[in-house]
Amino acid sequence: MCIRDRAAPLRKKNTLEQTGFALTDIGIKYRGKFYRFDEITETRVARHVLEHKVVLVNSTYHYSISIVMILKSGEIIQVTEQPTWLSDSKLSSVQYIENQFSIISEKTWDIRVEKYTQQIKEKGYFDYNEWRFYPNQQVIQDTKKNKVYNLDSTELLKSPEYITVKEKNAGLGSKLMQSLVGKPSIIITRTDTDVFFTLLKHFFDLSWSH
């Protein structure tokens, strides 16, 4: 008997074949249209490994990737390769999309960096996924919870797609509230990941060994 991960969708969407996704020297071909690299203002990527269990037999693993590019016009380019309930993912397609995403990231680097540095010049901070980063004050703010963290007294724990934010010397009240809420504060890092970690290193001297 086989047990396929319940996260797997029923059918594939936005595949290479369905979208006609391809790169040229100056842009992207997608669903019969052409978009220049300089139209892209944001990139996102999600990578997952799904486990396929077979009773009394070792598990096998299927890799998936979904990349998203946001354009100045608000249009969205999305390409996905993932297993479904009826078919497995193609590792070659996953690797191809990953390689193409690396090229897109390089081609759009300057535009995406400027999006954040311009905010710092104009406002003294930059916004990123419901968080606000203040280089001069060396603090970060969870805008959803309206809570400010001083980096001198904060521990940032990096995971593949997010950073967990923890106070180093949290008081009893904070610890009690955390235990009641149950969810730690996290920064989702799927958006402009390469740019974001470069900004953290440059403005906050934050880096991780892995």
Side-chain angles (χ1 to χ4, degrees):
M1 182 176 70
C2 295
I3 303 174
R4 186 175 288 276
D5 193 307
R6 292 183 180 275
L10 183 61
R11 61 178 61 89
K12 294 191 176 188
K13 296 180 180 179
N14 301 311
T15 65
L16 291 170
E17 293 79 9
Q18 291 170 345
T19 62
F21 172 81
L23 299 189
T24 71
D25 290 339
I26 60 173
I28 301 172
K29 296 178 180 179
Y30 182 80
R31 296 190 182 278
K33 295 183 179 180
F34 180 77
Y35 304 92
R36 299 188 314 276
F37 289 125
D38 60 14
E39 295 181 66
I40 298 173
T41 61
E42 184 176 300
T43 63
R44 300 174 189 168
V45 61
R47 305 173 180 90
H48 296 287
V49 179
L50 301 179
E51 183 177 8
H52 183 195
K53 296 180 179 179
V54 180
V55 177
L56 301 180
V57 181
N58 291 336
S59 298
T60 58
Y61 297 89
H62 302 277
Y63 299 88
S64 69
I65 186 171
S66 182
I67 63 173
V68 172
M69 283 67 67
I70 310 296
L71 306 178
K72 293 178 182 178
S73 64
E75 293 178 84
I76 296 175
I77 295 174
Q78 182 172 5
V79 185
T80 301
E81 177 62 34
Q82 63 184 350
T84 69
W85 279 84
L86 302 176
S87 63
D88 296 332
S89 59
K90 297 178 182 178
L91 182 57
S92 60
S93 294
V94 172
Q95 293 172 333
Y96 175 79
I97 294 172
E98 183 77 64
N99 291 337
Q100 299 301 92
F101 184 73
S102 296
I103 296 172
I104 293 170
S105 297
E106 181 180 349
K107 295 285 189 180
T108 61
W109 172 265
D110 290 341
I111 293 176
R112 293 183 296 117
V113 168
E114 186 179 7
K115 178 177 62 175
Y116 298 101
T117 57
Q118 191 62 34
Q119 290 183 56
I120 296 174
K121 291 178 183 178
E122 295 176 354
K123 305 175 183 179
Y125 63 80
F126 70 86
D127 288 315
Y128 180 85
N129 284 351
E130 298 184 332
W131 286 79
R132 189 162 287 172
F133 295 78
Y134 296 83
N136 291 337
Q137 295 87 348
Q138 291 292 290
V139 301
I140 61 176
Q141 179 184 11
D142 183 340
T143 57
K144 192 173 183 179
K145 298 178 180 178
N146 195 29
K147 182 173 177 58
V148 175
Y149 297 85
N150 189 312
L151 291 180
D152 287 338
S153 58
T154 302
E155 187 175 13
L156 302 179
L157 306 175
K158 183 177 179 294
S159 297
E161 294 188 339
Y162 62 89
I163 295 173
T164 302
V165 181
K166 296 178 62 177
E167 294 176 287
K168 292 180 180 178
N169 300 305
L172 182 61
S174 296
K175 291 181 179 179
L176 178 60
M177 180 61 69
Q178 183 63 55
S179 65
L180 292 175
V181 174
K183 292 183 178 180
S185 294
I186 62 173
I187 305 168
I188 304 298
T189 58
R190 294 175 182 169
T191 301
D192 291 330
T193 306
D194 53 345
V195 169
F196 177 59
F197 282 106
T198 298
L199 293 173
L200 291 185
K201 174 61 177 175
H202 180 77
F203 289 107
F204 300 94
D205 196 26
L206 292 171
S207 60
W208 292 260
S209 59
H210 61 282

